[in-house]
Amino acid sequence: MTLSLANRSVTPKSNDRRIAGRRLVLGTALALTAIGATLVYAAQTQVFDPQTHKWVEYDKKKARKYYAAHNEVPEAFRPQMVKFRTAEVPGTIIIDGNQHFLYLVQPGQRAMRYGIGVGREGFGWAGIVRVGRMAEWPTWTPPAEMIARDPNAVKHAAGMPGGPDNPLGARALYLYERDQDTIYRIHGTPEPWTIGLDVSSGCIRMRNDDITDLASRVKVGAKVIVLMQGAALYKGV
């Protein structure tokens, strides 16, 4: 099945709204546009197949197939400036894991929106943190918890040098609570087709071009709001 997607979990680009849910529309032509809003709660991203009139899982296999056909993620997950009402100051990062979007608040009730990959089931989290530091082509050192559950991480216990195959990708924003590293990051990825999916161990992943752009716009100390599943924007709409 060829995938053509229209993001149905957000309103058009000109008017982003806060809703819950992770459904995308599967069309017959290979294109993606933002259309009307839908309220849903789902464990995984879903797409609507107009031929069968059923919601189907949008999983890694389908995402890779789409990426292989286009060498690109669906349009809704590409960076774009959107209208965005919030009381948060410009420079604040707001992460909506339900929609798989990261918003960088801009002046004039607007935000730069990026597609993201988020924590898989059991690895989601929420809170208010800050960017403690940033790194270019960072070294990846798996935390002890990951090493304990993932034998493949053991060989990198001393750290994996930065590079195109490094799980942190081109840039990493290290998230701190006060002066304590939370072990969570906003980072790039060598697997860009996973954007829009629940795939990580809790970190927020972005395409390398997107995290590079985000890092160029963000300052150390920036506030980062990670929303709970189904939550409305903190002080937003």
Side-chain angles (χ1 to χ4, degrees):
M1 175 168 50
T2 57
L3 293 185
S4 171
L5 306 176
N7 193 315
R8 197 170 168 220
S9 59
V10 296
T11 54
K13 298 177 189 177
S14 62
N15 186 23
D16 260 22
R17 289 188 163 210
R18 305 297 66 233
I19 60 170
R22 302 175 232 191
R23 286 186 165 179
L24 303 173
V25 176
L26 174 67
T28 54
L30 293 172
L32 189 153
T33 55
I35 60 175
T38 282
L39 178 65
V40 292
Y41 294 87
Q44 299 293 330
T45 303
Q46 293 183 317
V47 294
F48 183 77
D49 185 344
Q51 295 181 339
T52 63
H53 300 284
K54 294 181 179 179
W55 291 98
V56 296
E57 297 297 327
Y58 180 62
D59 55 20
K60 281 187 177 182
K61 183 177 180 180
K62 294 183 178 71
R64 290 195 69 159
K65 187 173 183 180
Y66 184 92
Y67 195 89
H70 300 277
N71 196 32
E72 182 60 280
V73 296
E75 183 180 342
F77 294 132
R78 302 172 201 168
Q80 50 199 276
M81 192 70 71
V82 297
K83 286 187 177 181
F84 190 79
R85 292 185 294 154
T86 178
E88 300 299 333
V89 300
T92 301
I93 294 172
I94 300 175
I95 295 170
D96 185 345
N98 275 325
Q99 307 300 319
H100 299 92
F101 289 141
L102 179 151
Y103 296 89
L104 176 62
V105 178
Q106 302 291 298
Q109 298 296 299
R110 298 178 70 81
M112 179 64 75
R113 191 184 78 190
Y114 305 86
I116 57 174
V118 298
R120 61 188 181 272
E121 187 173 358
F123 289 88
W125 62 283
I128 300 176
V129 292
R130 68 179 181 88
V131 177
R133 67 184 182 93
M134 296 187 282
E136 181 176 339
W137 292 108
T139 297
W140 175 60
T141 304
E145 296 88 345
M146 180 178 289
I147 293 173
R149 68 172 181 268
D150 185 359
N152 293 325
V154 174
K155 59 184 177 182
H156 299 303
M160 179 181 181
D165 296 324
N166 187 296
L168 295 183
R171 302 287 188 276
L173 279 56
Y174 294 77
L175 303 182
Y176 281 54
E177 185 176 15
R178 298 184 179 88
D179 295 324
Q180 183 68 39
D181 188 347
T182 65
I183 78 169
Y184 295 118
R185 288 84 174 92
I186 303 171
H187 61 79
T189 179
E191 300 176 328
W193 55 86
T194 61
I195 301 305
L197 299 175
D198 301 347
V199 289
S200 77
S201 297
C203 288
I204 307 301
R205 66 173 61 180
M206 303 173 67
R207 299 186 307 166
N208 282 334
D209 287 348
D210 295 350
I211 187 63
T212 300
D213 182 71
L214 178 67
S216 72
R217 298 170 181 264
V218 169
K219 295 181 179 179
V220 170
K223 183 179 182 179
V224 180
I225 302 170
V226 182
L227 300 176
M228 294 177 62
Q229 180 174 336
L233 271 182
Y234 176 73
K235 294 184 179 179
V237 294

